[in-house]
Amino acid sequence: MKAIYLSVLATSLLSVSALSQADIVGTESYNTYVEVGESTVNAGPHNDELPGIGVYTIGLSDKVDFAGLSLYSSVSNGVYTLSSPIDIDEPDHSGMGVFNFAQVSGANVYFGEWSQTGTSSDSSRTVYYVGDDTGTSVPTSGTATYSVNGINEYSGSNLMSGTFTANFATNSLSGSLANSGLAVNIGSASFDSAGNISSSNASANGSAGVVTNGSVTGNFFGSDAAALAGIATFSNRDYDTAFGGTKD
């Protein structure tokens, strides 16, 4: 099945659609190897104008949608895994790298990680989030809690979980998520009326000890900020984490 998928994908990536229509927002921790944004491929299992990702072996501008990728991925704990490690010496269309990604429940929003080989020492590892921002609105009063999951060097059994709290009167967001090996606190994050989330004082505690002064970039999605997604990045890239969740 994966061999058939890779053949179709390699052909599909040569076809690029016309002008964008959707309001797709997101970012990645590094754009050397992958880049998220609006999908441009409209062929095979893929559709354009959706949350998507481009890989450097094909071309970062030729983005495929996550919905199409999920059709050929294995799933555990709500995380889709597609593994086609790249031959670093001879990268080509047959090796797309290793994807671990999840969809925020009820939203056209995805978050996850990518690397060339899927190993814990892979310096190409990149975390990301991307979603359709159409119809997003942010309340100006009240509070809400969000059940959030996180992906960090996903192994099949180490999905992170936690709770974030938003205060819409003060435009502030706080909270943390963790698994047995890593805890990430987003610090004192803030957001604007458009739902853009940011923080410069996130912290993480894992096998290499505590790291502070991390950065958080994210967005609210949906009516009344029904969902959120983002990434937390640190000086120790092993701690970089993608997250997403929905309002309780």
Side-chain angles (χ1 to χ4, degrees):
M1 179 65 74
K2 289 182 179 177
I4 294 173
Y5 163 73
L6 291 170
S7 176
V8 172
L9 179 57
T11 302
S12 300
L13 286 170
L14 299 177
S15 172
V16 178
S17 75
L19 297 175
S20 5
Q21 300 293 326
D23 189 8
I24 306 299
V25 298
T27 194
E28 60 286 320
S29 53
Y30 301 92
N31 63 2
T32 302
Y33 301 103
V34 295
E35 183 179 271
V36 295
E38 185 174 325
S39 62
T40 59
V41 173
N42 188 14
H46 296 290
N47 293 289
D48 58 1
E49 302 178 0
L50 297 173
I53 187 169
V55 180
Y56 79 103
T57 56
I58 306 300
L60 297 179
S61 63
D62 293 336
K63 295 178 175 62
V64 296
D65 62 292
F66 281 99
L69 285 177
S70 68
L71 298 176
Y72 297 92
S73 304
S74 60
V75 186
S76 62
N77 300 311
V79 178
Y80 295 91
T81 297
L82 176 60
S83 182
S84 179
I86 290 174
D87 183 338
I88 297 174
D89 294 325
E90 296 183 16
D92 59 26
H93 293 188
S94 66
M96 294 295 295
V98 179
F99 300 79
N100 294 308
F101 62 92
Q103 182 177 8
V104 175
S105 178
N108 195 8
V109 179
Y110 296 83
F111 61 97
E113 64 186 356
W114 176 95
S115 67
Q116 291 178 322
T117 65
T119 62
S120 60
S121 59
D122 193 331
S123 62
S124 69
R125 180 175 169 272
T126 304
V127 296
Y128 54 79
Y129 79 96
V130 62
D132 190 342
D133 195 37
T134 304
T136 294
S137 61
V138 179
T140 57
S141 63
T143 62
T145 58
Y146 292 79
S147 294
V148 180
N149 289 323
I151 293 176
N152 176 285
E153 297 190 351
Y154 185 69
S155 66
S157 60
N158 62 344
L159 184 67
M160 302 176 73
S161 62
T163 301
F164 291 177
T165 300
N167 187 321
F168 296 110
T170 61
N171 286 42
S172 60
L173 181 71
S174 61
S176 60
L177 62 164
N179 58 23
S180 61
L182 177 66
V184 172
N185 190 304
I186 64 170
S188 301
S190 61
F191 55 88
D192 60 22
S193 59
N196 302 300
I197 301 167
S198 62
S199 170
S200 59
N201 58 2
S203 61
N205 187 4
S207 59
V210 177
V211 175
T212 58
N213 299 321
S215 297
V216 172
T217 303
N219 284 89
F220 286 107
F221 294 90
S223 177
D224 290 326
L228 59 77
I231 58 174
T233 58
F234 301 90
S235 57
N236 183 340
R237 290 177 61 166
D238 291 340
Y239 287 176
D240 290 357
T241 300
F243 60 82
T246 56
K247 187 185 294 185
D248 294 335

